[in-house]
Amino acid sequence: MSTPPAFKRLPRAVREQQMLDAAVKVFSRRGFHAASMDEIAEDAGISKPMVYAYLGTKEELFVACLHREGTRMMQAIAGAAAPDLPADERLWRGLRAFFGFVGAHRDGWAVLYRQARGEQPFAAELAGMRARMVEVIAGMLDHALRAEGREVGETELEVVAYALVGATESLADWLADHPEEDSARTATRMMNVAWLGAGQLLHGASWRPPAE
């Protein structure tokens, strides 16, 4: 007679991280709908009932994955961009930390950006994370301009911040598909686009369409 597998007793926090690690891999590979709790449990080396007991339904597990990966990403960015640095270095360090996260956690990025954005209610979770990133970027730009004795309207700051976040997300998605690319070099590419372009705009330069 076969005996049921024995599972090593671990602290709850450690076990939860194991489950989330496995879930992120399976969700990134399969997508939310095709992923199964059986496969997640097998990858984690635990029983399926234990997954339900610790982290709930598949939807609740997916949200937990979003929260963990999003928190990791935001902590990496916040920890890199010290407020006493010059504005360009703050942005550069934030971009380097962001692309470093994507390069090191491609499965996590796939769950955050590819799997969540087209699925309700997960798209709302992603929109909340994006809004926080926009708020951080807008605050950095405002701080830099005030240090130079200039002020830009809230709407202009928000528009530029949304544009920077959108471009950065798109380039991060490209990086996720090119594991041979260096994350720091990708950050430098984005910095050239973001700082040179946004810097001129926020200092009053603007392109205007020709008169018809």
Side-chain angles (χ1 to χ4, degrees), residues 5 19 22 30 71 86 120 129 131 138 167 173-174 188 196 199-200 203-204:
M19 296 179 194
R30 306 283 189 200
T71 299
Q120 291 294 348
M129 294 178 197
D173 208 34
W174 174 86
T188 302
L196 296 179
Q200 290 187 56
H203 282 83

Side-chain angles (χ1 to χ4, degrees), residues 123-181:
E125 295 280 345
L126 181 61
M129 294 178 197
R130 181 178 291 120
R132 288 194 291 276
M133 287 186 68
V134 168
E135 185 178 346
V136 169
I137 296 298
M140 287 172 60
L141 295 174
D142 186 45
H143 178 81
L145 290 167
R146 288 180 183 276
E148 296 178 1
R150 299 188 68 253
E151 289 189 27
V152 174
E154 183 178 338
T155 300
E156 286 301 313
L157 284 171
E158 186 177 25
V159 167
V160 173
Y162 264 104
L164 291 178
V165 169
T168 301
E169 287 177 343
S170 295
L171 189 54
D173 208 34
W174 174 86
L175 177 64
D177 284 335
H178 294 81
E180 74 282 1
E181 288 292 334

Side-chain angles (χ1 to χ4, degrees), residues 92-115:
W92 151 243
R93 290 194 180 196
L95 288 171
R96 186 175 60 180
F98 172 75
F99 286 112
F101 169 86
V102 175
H105 302 90
R106 284 179 165 83
D107 288 341
W109 177 253
V111 169
L112 278 173
Y113 190 71
R114 296 178 178 174
Q115 305 298 340

Side-chain angles (χ1 to χ4, degrees), residues 1-192:
M1 292 179 61
S2 62
T3 58
F7 300 108
K8 183 180 178 182
R9 185 173 284 277
L10 293 172
R12 183 184 182 95
V14 175
R15 184 67 79 188
E16 285 184 354
Q17 291 307 309
Q18 285 184 340
M19 296 179 194
L20 289 172
D21 288 342
V24 166
K25 290 178 182 177
V26 174
F27 283 134
S28 69
R29 196 164 60 227
R30 306 283 189 200
F32 173 73
H33 293 293
S36 73
M37 297 293 268
D38 290 291
E39 185 176 4
I40 291 169
E42 183 179 352
D43 275 23
I46 59 172
S47 67
K48 185 167 73 169
M50 189 178 291
V51 178
Y52 282 109
Y54 274 61
L55 294 167
T57 65
K58 186 167 79 167
E59 182 174 301
E60 290 170 329
L61 177 57
F62 192 87
V63 170
C65 291
L66 287 182
H67 285 168
R68 190 189 74 167
E69 299 307 303
T71 299
R72 282 179 168 180
M73 182 179 70
M74 293 302 294
Q75 286 177 341
I77 296 170
D84 57 338
L85 293 171
D88 59 338
E89 189 172 349
R90 286 186 71 198
L91 183 58
W92 151 243
R93 290 194 180 196
L95 288 171
R96 186 175 60 180
F98 172 75
F99 286 112
F101 169 86
V102 175
H105 302 90
R106 284 179 165 83
D107 288 341
W109 177 253
V111 169
L112 278 173
Y113 190 71
R114 296 178 178 174
Q115 305 298 340
R117 61 181 173 176
E119 300 284 348
Q120 291 294 348
F122 311 131
E125 295 280 345
L126 181 61
M129 294 178 197
R130 181 178 291 120
R132 288 194 291 276
M133 287 186 68
V134 168
E135 185 178 346
V136 169
I137 296 298
M140 287 172 60
L141 295 174
D142 186 45
H143 178 81
L145 290 167
R146 288 180 183 276
E148 296 178 1
R150 299 188 68 253
E151 289 189 27
V152 174
E154 183 178 338
T155 300
E156 286 301 313
L157 284 171
E158 186 177 25
V159 167
V160 173
Y162 264 104
L164 291 178
V165 169
T168 301
E169 287 177 343
S170 295
L171 189 54
D173 208 34
W174 174 86
L175 177 64
D177 284 335
H178 294 81
E180 74 282 1
E181 288 292 334
D182 179 68
S183 59
R185 184 166 64 247
T186 304
T188 302
R189 290 167 174 158
M190 187 65 225
M191 185 67 186
N192 280 312

